[in-house]
Amino acid sequence: MSQKYENAVDYLKTSPMFNLSLSSKELFHSNFLYWIYIADKNKFRALLEAVGIKTDDWGENWEARREHLNFDLCVIDKSNEKLFAVIENKVKSIPTAEQLAKYNEKIKMKFGDVSAKILLSLTESKNDESNDVKDWQYVNYEQICGTLLSDDFQSSFSGYQKELINDYAKFVKALITLTEDWKGDTAENNIFLLDYKERESKDEVENNEYIIHKEGAVNNPDKYRIARELRIHDLYGKYRTAILKEKLAKRLEDKGLLEEHLPLKITPQIAYSNSLPILEVMIEGVGKKAEAFFISIQGCQYRHAINAIDKGASTKEKRVQESVKRCQTQKRWHWFMNPNKHPNNGGCFPNFPDVLSKSGQRKSICSFAGRGGVNYIYQYKKISPDATVDDVLSLMVDEVVKIANKFRSK
């Protein structure tokens, strides 16, 4: 780690504002900007102008609102007839094109359109150029911090207010230093696994494996450990997984697997549950309408999963049992997942000992009851401690190719 990185970590450990922000990592930033508005309306306007928002047509009948239409922060006329600006904080995530398209639809239904649509983020977002999303302006928090720390901006604030503003801007700049450095942790030769110690589910035995150094591979366990100590390991995991998803999508695209004319719809995506990020590929079109295959990674687990349908049983346990039974009777799926065999006793996972090791699951299948009659049924093996980013992404792509070929040949 560089000296700049270590200095940023040291500042975050002692910053009052950073430690207060941990209770609500995104809401805190929206509330801070709204506090600027309450403290000095003109300085709030100047802050927005500094990041490229045009305010000439606002007049004097404008106000800032928190959580208006469920947006983080809005500037609107008091009659609620016109929306001047929408600001979305993406401190914990990288915005997707799908999210932005939904935001646009919501704005259009209420106001027709708005000229200023701002995304505030710690790291740059690669939005596509479709009409739905290209009108959103990315603003790095670095721009916000530069204005907050300027003498001109602080001139009308009290000494105590200046201390709050300075601490806020400095801790955000420290976060930016960390997130920029984290991007390098997704290089092809980096070790894929983070330093996960906790048990991952009730169905898994304790994970006592340790990270070993593969020749030529790069391992950065200290970054995740420090992020955990700072209580921002969710931030680390989400940023890292979002970048991995883009790498995975590029590989799938290069294979022609994301094209619309395929018999299957193949979608790389990310999620977050049980304090761990999820990287996965969803393959729709494999069964009934709501059913899908997933190749999914969470923690140390490399999963084969199926959304399987139950018949409307009255309890979660019975719904899961019905879905497992459907998987058992559909033998044409058993090359992907076989509920009758434990993953360690042969079956549905490729034999790549450098990438996958034995499963830690206790039963032959893991599951949980979902909603609408669709339940998540899965088996997994563990990712080998020395598997690299390239190893894991290559395996995921190879398996998607196999699935696509199977359905092309039906």
Side-chain angles (χ1 to χ4, degrees):
M1 290 181 288
S2 67
Q3 187 62 52
K4 184 178 180 182
Y5 192 95
E6 292 183 6
N7 291 342
V9 169
D10 290 340
Y11 188 86
L12 291 175
K13 287 180 178 178
T14 59
S15 164
M17 291 288 276
F18 167 71
N19 282 280
L20 289 171
S21 77
L22 294 175
S23 61
S24 181
K25 294 187 180 76
E26 283 193 338
L27 186 62
F28 183 89
H29 295 274
S30 299
N31 286 339
F32 179 83
L33 293 177
Y34 187 74
W35 171 72
I36 295 290
Y37 163 75
I38 295 297
D40 192 316
K41 189 175 180 180
N42 290 328
K43 289 299 182 183
F44 174 81
R45 185 170 184 166
L47 180 62
L48 298 190
E49 288 175 346
V51 298
I53 296 180
K54 295 180 180 180
T55 68
D56 296 343
D57 61 344
W58 287 10
E60 297 301 323
N61 195 38
W62 65 273
E63 64 181 3
R65 293 185 185 177
R66 283 282 294 111
E67 293 296 323
H68 185 66
L69 299 177
N70 292 320
F71 286 115
D72 291 334
L73 194 61
C74 291
V75 178
I76 195 166
D77 70 358
K78 293 180 181 179
S79 64
N80 201 29
E81 295 295 328
K82 189 170 183 178
L83 186 63
F84 295 120
V86 173
I87 300 170
E88 277 291 303
N89 276 302
K90 293 296 175 185
V91 174
K92 293 200 298 182
S93 61
I94 296 175
T96 65
E98 293 78 13
Q99 284 178 312
L100 301 184
K102 288 180 181 178
Y103 294 161
N104 280 350
E105 183 179 354
K106 186 164 59 172
I107 292 170
K108 189 174 182 179
M109 287 179 61
K110 178 71 175 177
F111 296 100
D113 199 8
V114 58
S115 58
K117 302 173 186 175
I118 302 297
L119 293 168
L120 294 178
S121 180
L122 296 174
T123 188
E124 188 166 359
S125 173
K126 295 181 180 179
N127 297 326
D128 64 27
E129 293 299 315
S130 67
N131 290 330
D132 286 334
V133 302
K134 67 181 181 181
D135 53 346
W136 282 86
Q137 176 189 349
Y138 161 78
V139 174
N140 192 309
Y141 261 102
E142 187 79 45
Q143 296 171 256
I144 295 285
C145 293
T147 301
L148 291 175
L149 292 171
S150 68
D151 291 337
D152 181 61
F153 182 85
Q154 294 190 9
S155 60
S156 61
F157 290 97
S158 69
Y160 173 66
Q161 290 173 323
K162 288 179 183 179
E163 289 180 10
L164 294 177
I165 293 169
N166 286 335
D167 186 22
Y168 174 83
K170 288 177 181 178
F171 100 66
V172 171
K173 286 171 71 70
L175 279 181
I176 292 169
T177 295
L178 269 56
T179 54
E180 287 298 318
D181 201 274
W182 293 344
K183 291 179 182 179
D185 295 355
T186 60
E188 307 291 307
N189 65 331
N190 267 60
I191 294 295
F192 185 87
L193 289 181
L194 300 178
D195 187 21
Y196 297 120
K197 298 295 184 185
E198 65 273 20
R199 215 168 109 183
E200 293 172 42
S201 79
K202 65 181 181 180
D203 296 311
E204 191 191 11
V205 297
E206 295 289 345
N207 173 30
N208 295 317
E209 290 187 304
Y210 57 91
I211 302 298
I212 58 179
H213 290 274
K214 187 176 184 178
E215 185 175 354
V218 178
N219 191 25
N220 296 305
D222 280 348
K223 289 185 184 176
Y224 184 70
R225 177 184 58 78
I226 291 171
R228 195 163 50 200
E229 289 176 359
L230 291 171
R231 294 172 58 201
I232 55 171
H233 53 290
D234 58 336
L235 203 62
Y236 181 99
K238 286 180 178 180
Y239 271 96
R240 184 175 185 267
T241 306
I243 297 170
L244 290 172
K245 191 208 87 168
E246 295 304 316
K247 289 177 177 283
L248 176 60
K250 179 65 167 61
R251 292 187 180 209
L252 293 170
E253 184 179 23
D254 289 345
K255 294 282 187 180
L257 292 166
L258 302 185
E259 298 174 10
E260 291 295 328
H261 65 268
L262 285 172
L264 303 173
K265 182 180 179 183
I266 297 170
T267 309
Q269 56 191 25
I270 57 177
Y272 197 83
S273 71
N274 297 324
S275 300
L276 291 174
I278 300 170
L279 172 68
E280 65 187 7
V281 181
M282 179 173 65
I283 302 102
E284 299 173 277
V286 295
K288 294 182 178 181
K289 185 175 181 181
E291 292 174 318
F293 283 178
F294 294 82
I295 299 170
S296 181
I297 295 172
Q298 185 174 29
C300 303
Q301 296 181 3
Y302 184 98
R303 300 173 181 167
H304 284 182
I306 294 178
N307 270 355
I309 295 176
D310 67 63
K311 298 177 181 178
S314 58
T315 67
K316 287 184 178 181
E317 291 75 16
K318 289 182 179 179
R319 291 201 296 272
V320 168
Q321 288 173 7
E322 286 185 356
S323 293
V324 171
K325 185 176 180 180
R326 173 158 169 75
C327 292
Q328 289 172 330
T329 58
Q330 296 292 319
K331 293 184 179 180
R332 65 190 179 91
W333 289 349
H334 285 184
W335 59 270
F336 182 74
M337 186 177 67
N338 187 347
N340 300 318
K341 285 188 177 181
H342 191 281
N344 291 337
N345 297 326
C348 315
F349 288 87
N351 185 25
F352 289 106
D354 290 341
V355 187
L356 299 180
S357 58
K358 286 187 176 182
S359 176
Q361 68 186 63
R362 299 180 186 276
K363 301 177 182 178
S364 62
I365 196 163
C366 304
S367 60
F368 59 84
R371 296 179 179 178
V374 181
N375 305 295
Y376 189 75
I377 313 298
Y378 68 98
Q379 295 175 314
Y380 74 88
K381 281 196 169 183
K382 288 185 179 180
I383 297 172
S384 297
D386 63 343
T388 64
V389 168
D390 178 63
D391 291 335
V392 174
L393 295 185
S394 295
L395 177 57
M396 293 183 79
V397 173
D398 287 349
E399 289 217 278
V400 175
V401 169
K402 180 180 178 180
I403 291 170
N405 288 340
K406 286 277 186 181
F407 278 86
R408 283 190 182 115
S409 62
K410 280 200 308 182

